[in-house]
C-alpha cells in the first residue's frame, strides 16, 4: 500500500474543510467503508488542484484540472472506491489518471495501481505529485486506456473515470474471474455509475447512482473531436 509523505503544514491546511467534506459528502451520503473514509479524511485533496482553487477542493463538485478535464466530485471518488471492495492485496487498473487524486486513494487501498491517461501533461503532472508524496506502488502509462494494459494484467479490479456508452469488452477481458469494474456508462451528458462483476464469460451489472463525467475518448470510447 502507498505511503503519504506529507508535511504537517499540508495536513493542517484546509483540515476543517476536509473533515466537513467527509461528514457531509461522504458519510452522510451513505459511504460505509471505513478504509475509504479514513484515506479520504487524511489525503490533502487541495494538492491535486491549482493553488488558486485550493479553497474549493473540498466542495461537493468536480473542479477543472486543465486540458478540459476535471478532478471528480469527492462523493463520486468515495462511491467508486467503495464499490471495488478493496482489502489491500489487489492489483487495480485505472483508466483516466486525471489529477491523480483517485489514483492516490486506490494506492492507499490496494497493493498495486496501474493508471492510464491519454493526456500527456496530466499524466506527467500526476506522476510528479504522487512520486513526491512517496507512492511507490503506482505504475503510469500515457496511452488510449480503452485498450487497457493487457501485459500487466489480469487485474482484480478496474475503474474507469471517464464515460462511454458501454464498458469496452476488451477491458472486461482484463479482469480476473470474480473481479469488479466500476464505470460511468451512458450518453454524453448524463450517465449511470455501474458496477460490473465478471463471472467467467458472464457479467453481472448493478447500478450505483446517476453521474456526469467527461467523455472516455479513444478506440473503444467516443471518437476524438476534429
Ligand atoms: N479520477 C480523476 C481525478 O480524480 O482527477 C478524474 C479523471 S477525469 C474525470 C477523466 C480523465 O480520463 C481525464 O483526465 C481524461 O483525459 C481521461 N481520459 C479520457 N479518455 C481516456 C482514455 N481513452 N484513456 C485514458 N484516459 C482517458
Amino acid at each position: 500500500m502507498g505511503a503519504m509523505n506529507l508535511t504537517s503544514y499540508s495536513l493542517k491546511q484546509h483540515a476543517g474543510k476536509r473533515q466537513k467534506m467527509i461528514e457531509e459528502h461522504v458519510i452522510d451520503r451513505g459511504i460505509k467503508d471505513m478504509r475509504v473514509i479514513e484515506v479520504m479524511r487524511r489525503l490533502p485533496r487541495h494538492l491535486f488542484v491549482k493553488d488558486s482553487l485550493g479553497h474549493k477542493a473540498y466542495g461537493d463538485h468536480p473542479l477543472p484540472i486543465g486540458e478540459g478535464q476535471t478532478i471528480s466530485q469527492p462523493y463520486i471518488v468515495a462511491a467508486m472506491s467503495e464499490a471495488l471492495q478493496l482489502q489491500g492485496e489487489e492489483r487495480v487498473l485505472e483508466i483516466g489518471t486525471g489529477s491523480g487524486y483517485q489514483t492516490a486513494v486506490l494506492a492507499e487501498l490496494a497493493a498495486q495501481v496501474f493508471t492510464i491517461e491519454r493526456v500527456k501533461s496530466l499524466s506527467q503532472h500526476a506522476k510528479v505529485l504522487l512520486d513526491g508524496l512517496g507512492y511507490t506502488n503506482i505504475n503510469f502509462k500515457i496511452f488510449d486506456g480503452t485498450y487497457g494494459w493487457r501485459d500487466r494484467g489480469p487485474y482484480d479490479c478496474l475503474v474507469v473515470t471517464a464515460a462511454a456508452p458501454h464498458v469496452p469488452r476488451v477491458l472486461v477481458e482484463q479482469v480476473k474471474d470474480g473481479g469488479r469494474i466500476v464505470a460511468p456508462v451512458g450518453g454524453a451528458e448524463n450517465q449511470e455509475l455501474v458496477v460490473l462483476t465478471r463471472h467467467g464469460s458472464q457479467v453481472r451489472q448493478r447500478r450505483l447512482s446517476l453521474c456526469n463525467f467527461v467523455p472516455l475518448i479513444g478506440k473503444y470510447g467516443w471518437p476524438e473531436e476534429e
Side-chain angles (χ1 to χ4, degrees):
M1 273 180 273
M4 258 185 261
N5 180 10
L6 294 164
T7 62
S8 59
Y9 176 68
S10 53
L11 281 173
K12 275 185 197 147
Q13 248 193 330
H14 304 297
K17 286 184 190 155
R18 195 157 56 247
Q19 183 59 25
K20 194 166 181 283
M21 171 193 89
I22 288 297
E23 282 165 16
E24 294 181 4
H25 309 317
V26 176
I27 297 173
D28 287 357
R29 287 167 74 176
I31 300 299
K32 295 195 169 49
D33 185 329
M34 286 313 294
R35 295 181 72 234
V36 172
I37 291 169
E38 288 314 316
V39 167
M40 290 183 65
R41 199 196 297 279
R42 279 186 295 126
L43 191 61
R45 186 172 154 91
H46 60 275
L47 299 181
F48 293 81
V49 296
K50 289 198 183 93
D51 286 352
S52 58
L53 291 176
H55 63 293
K56 290 187 170 177
Y58 298 95
D60 185 25
H61 43 65
L63 281 174
I65 55 170
E67 307 283 359
Q69 305 303 326
T70 54
I71 178 172
S72 303
Q73 179 188 2
Y75 168 72
I76 290 290
V77 174
M80 292 179 98
S81 304
E82 180 175 73
L84 295 176
Q85 300 174 17
L86 298 168
Q87 304 297 317
E89 302 303 320
E90 299 84 355
R91 293 159 49 80
V92 182
L93 177 61
E94 177 188 43
I95 314 299
T97 314
S99 69
Y101 178 71
Q102 171 94 66
T103 319
V105 172
L106 296 173
E108 292 284 337
L109 297 172
Q112 286 286 324
V113 179
F114 299 81
T115 184
I116 313 178
E117 171 57 57
R118 65 183 285 276
V119 180
K120 186 176 175 184
S121 61
L122 293 179
S123 177
Q124 288 175 334
H125 188 271
K127 181 169 172 23
V128 169
L129 177 60
L130 293 167
D131 285 352
L133 289 175
Y135 291 100
T136 55
N137 61 340
I138 304 174
N139 306 269
F140 296 84
K141 183 171 179 171
I142 301 164
F143 201 64
D144 172 3
T146 66
Y147 289 92
W149 196 341
R150 200 180 280 278
D151 55 339
R152 304 300 293 272
Y155 305 94
D156 300 286
C157 291
L158 195 155
V159 55
V160 187
T161 73
H166 62 274
V167 177
R169 186 73 212 170
V170 66
L171 295 183
V172 177
E173 287 164 1
Q174 292 176 40
V175 171
K176 290 179 190 170
D177 199 19
R180 295 165 295 288
I181 299 176
V182 181
V185 168
E189 295 300 323
N190 289 296
Q191 310 97 28
E192 273 188 323
L193 206 52
V194 299
V195 187
L196 310 183
T197 310
R198 181 178 179 180
H199 298 286
S201 59
Q202 305 288 312
V203 177
R204 203 179 60 216
Q205 179 170 316
R206 175 167 71 87
R207 294 171 178 170
L208 266 190
S209 66
L210 292 175
C211 57
N212 189 351
F213 274 79
V214 295
L216 181 74
I217 295 169
K219 168 88 172 160
Y220 302 111
W222 296 100
E224 192 161 3
E225 278 179 21
E226 295 296 310

